[in-house]
Each structure stands twice: as C-alpha cells, then as structure tokens.
Amino acid sequence: MRTTGSVLAVVPARAGSKGIPGKNLRTVAGRSLVRRAVESARLSSRIDDVVVTTDGDAIAAEARAAGATVVRRPTDLAGDEASSESALLHVLDTLAADGDGTLPEVLVFLQATSPFIDPADLDRAVARVVDDHADTVLAAAPSHAFLWRTASDGSAVAVNHDAAVRPRRQDREPEYRETGAFYVMRTAGFLAHRHRFHGRIELAVVDAAGAIDIDDPADLALADALAPTRDAARRSSTQQTASAQEPAADAAPPSPPAPSPTRAAPAPNGAP
C-alpha cells in the first residue's frame, strides 16, 4: 500500500450491531453500506488508498470486492464500547508494523452508516487539510431548527434561541449538525491527540437532504427511498468535479481555495 505523503481513507465496519443486525452489509438501492463507503472514497480524486477495518469475514470479502484493503480488527476493538478512534489507531499501528513505518499524511475517517457521501465533498475537505488551512474538517449539515431540552422538573427549556423571539428562517444564521459521514484530519495531529478533533477545525458543509445516518430500520427504508435522487446527484457532482479538473491548454492557474464557510471551536480531547 502506498502511504508516503498520501491520503488514506479508513472505513470502520464491525460485524456486530444491535439496532440492525448485520447493518454494514445491509443494502441501499442494491449496494451494501460498506461498499457505498468504499466506492465514495475510491471516486475521490484526493484519496490514494482505502482500508476497511473489520472483525467480520463477510464484511472483509465485500470490502475487497469493492476495491479496499482489509485490516482485521481484534475482538477487543470491535465491541459496543470500543471507540472509533481505537479502530483508526489500530489501522495506523498495523500499517506502521507491516511497512517501513511511514504513515499517510492525511487520514480520512468514513462511516459506512452514511450512504450518500459525495466524493466531491471529500475532495474539498481533503484539500483544506492538505493545503494547511485546517487540521481537521468534518461533515456538517446546516440547520435552522429551534432546539429544546427537558429540565429536571419536566419543563421545556429553549437551547439555541430566545423563546420569546421568533425570527424568520431567512433572518437566522444557520447552525450546523455534525453528520458523522466523514472526518478528515492530519495524521500527526491525530496520533498526538489520539482524537479526531484537534488543532484548527473547519466544517465541510454538506447537503442536509442526503445527511442520513443509518441507525434503525426506518433510516434504512428512508435511504432506499431517497437513493435514486441522491445517487443521481452524486454522479452529477462527480462528473462536474472531473470536468473542472481538466483545464484547457490556455487556462489560468487555479485560484487559492476559498475560506471555510464556517469554523468550529476545537473540541476537548477524549473519545466521543
């Protein structure tokens, strides 16, 4: 596997799942969730290699068929209590032990439970890290929702707004919901902090319509219903990106990347 100065995508996909048995092999529009994640990464022009870390034989076979390398995850890192960070660290340890010790410059953590990852979004997020604009970039969807929580006495408390003021949607700045679809990070920073959130953090703003996280059968049914539209949008986006990367002979040099649409404050270290 080529890792020197490269961008490596890692898809954690364990065999066990309580909400949906065999979740990572369940299909959306005829393609398994793990295959969809691998194919999104392989369609990215900025990602060099794709690894699936799993404890399941069937998942490993599906990952290889989709074009990924497989790292077998030990049992103690595949339980319900194991963090995603532990799986990523194990992959890096395995690569360092199997090769010459050289690790990828950038690590892309993809979650198979997000079936509509757009390779163009991955390209833009990776570029922010590779070009030293950010240390971590995470997928986030814009939201204008009024959020509430329940107090200990059962009463409702406004969280992100003044309940007495109801501005119109167009008069409110959006907030951003972490989708979990992907996280792009500088490998050295991840190893130093042992957490995906470190250094300067930016958001990769993605289309909220496709920001589904498969957690229960209803999510799977919704993804199946949306797949024809979302998959067509992804193909169109990928084709447009490919065309944009073919400059004319007399084309001017590309402009520097635009600033991130928004910035997030660094999160405390520690597993989520």
Side-chain angles (χ1 to χ4, degrees):
M1 176 178 295
R2 176 165 54 87
T3 57
T4 303
S6 67
V7 178
L8 174 69
V10 178
V11 182
R14 63 191 183 94
S17 174
K18 291 182 178 179
I20 304 177
K23 176 168 63 176
N24 286 308
L25 289 176
R26 297 295 292 270
T27 60
V28 171
R31 291 187 290 139
S32 70
L33 293 177
V34 70
R35 176 177 286 273
R36 281 178 164 269
V38 170
E39 290 179 348
S40 288
R42 294 191 69 210
L43 284 169
S44 166
S45 65
R46 303 301 297 257
I47 292 174
D48 300 303
D49 297 292
V50 187
V51 166
V52 171
T53 167
T54 186
D55 59 325
D57 293 339
I59 292 175
E62 177 75 349
R64 291 189 182 99
T69 300
V70 172
V71 169
R72 297 308 297 247
R73 198 186 321 182
T75 304
D76 61 324
L77 297 182
D80 292 335
E81 302 303 318
S83 68
S84 298
E85 276 80 357
S86 68
L88 299 176
L89 289 165
H90 176 256
V91 168
L92 295 176
D93 287 344
T94 301
L95 293 179
D98 291 348
D100 61 1
T102 302
L103 293 175
E105 177 188 353
V106 174
L107 185 65
V108 181
F109 164 32
L110 298 182
Q111 297 211 84
T113 49
S114 295
F116 304 124
I117 299 173
D118 190 334
D121 289 334
L122 292 175
D123 285 343
R124 287 188 286 268
V126 170
R128 297 300 294 175
V129 176
V130 169
D131 296 341
D132 289 327
H133 296 288
D135 298 291
T136 296
V137 177
L138 65 141
S143 171
H144 288 83
F146 290 113
L147 300 180
W148 296 77
R149 63 175 173 82
T150 303
S152 57
D153 64 356
S155 62
V157 179
V159 173
N160 65 340
H161 65 287
D162 180 349
V165 179
R166 308 296 288 185
R168 299 176 304 166
R169 176 187 177 93
Q170 58 267 40
D171 294 331
R172 298 178 64 213
E173 289 295 324
E175 295 176 317
Y176 294 87
R177 172 177 62 87
E178 183 178 338
T179 71
F182 62 82
Y183 305 81
V184 180
M185 65 201 86
R186 194 163 296 283
T187 304
F190 174 67
L191 290 172
H193 295 275
R194 303 182 77 80
H195 193 275
R196 74 193 81 169
F197 301 113
H198 59 268
R200 176 184 167 87
I201 300 173
E202 292 187 353
L203 303 182
V205 180
V206 302
D207 187 352
I212 298 174
D213 181 44
I214 305 296
D215 194 49
D216 56 41
D219 297 327
L220 202 58
L222 176 60
D224 247 332
L226 291 176
T229 300
R230 301 313 310 170
D231 287 349
R234 188 188 77 164
R235 286 192 295 270
S236 174
S237 175
T238 302
Q239 290 167 357
Q240 289 174 4
T241 300
S243 298
Q245 291 171 348
E246 296 177 359
D250 58 349
S255 301
S260 172
T262 186
R263 301 174 185 173
N269 294 329

